[in-house]
Amino acid sequence: MIRKIDHIAIAVQNLESALETFMNVLGCAPGDITIEEVPSEKVRVAFIPVGDTKIELLQPLSDDSPISKFLQKNGDGMHHIALQTDNIEEETTRLASVNLSTLGAPKDGAGGKRIVFLHPKETNRVLLEFTQKHS
């Protein structure tokens, strides 16, 4: 079952510049921000809390990062919406039963969570990510 919107992700060329902008917009302090690298996705991410959800800024770590390819094609902007679930394996099974494809199997992502993406061709061109906290 989907519990909530976990985060909204924005692809950026320059994480520090984007962080400054979003911190000013949201009125948050540097201590509110969590920054980490996710080598499996070849990105550096910053999570900015907004109430019960977050904005995630994604900066590529290399030219072959999926985010780098996204930025080359689209420029800075919204990348995906992440939905939190209690059981990611159960959700992928449910999705398959209604003919929705995931982009690979669930794997480890940022924030110590398990993640899997849905194919945007099947979700009105919106990239959706399912997230689950590790037990």
Side-chain angles (χ1 to χ4, degrees), residues 8-85:
I8 297 169
I10 300 167
V12 300
Q13 299 278 352
N14 184 306
L15 188 63
E16 284 71 23
S17 175
L19 259 175
E20 183 178 342
T21 298
F22 278 91
M23 286 172 58
N24 287 331
V25 167
L26 299 170
C28 59
D32 298 333
I33 311 302
T34 304
I35 299 174
E36 68 179 281
E37 288 189 7
V38 185
S40 65
E41 297 297 311
K42 300 177 185 176
V43 293
R44 184 168 173 240
V45 302
F47 285 105
I48 307 167
V50 182
D52 195 29
T53 191
K54 296 174 271 323
I55 291 178
E56 177 187 38
L57 302 176
L58 302 157
Q59 175 186 303
L61 290 174
S62 66
D63 290 341
D64 64 338
S65 163
I67 295 302
S68 181
K69 292 173 185 168
F70 175 89
L71 288 167
Q72 289 171 16
K73 182 177 178 183
N74 303 295
D76 286 21
M78 186 156 146
H79 186 261
H80 68 269
I81 299 172
L83 306 170
Q84 183 183 34
T85 180

Side-chain angles (χ1 to χ4, degrees), residues 114-127:
R114 303 265 300 141
I115 64 167
V116 69
F117 288 92
L118 298 180
H119 202 293
K121 289 182 181 177
E122 298 174 356
T123 54
N124 299 82
R125 295 182 37 184
V126 176
L127 183 60

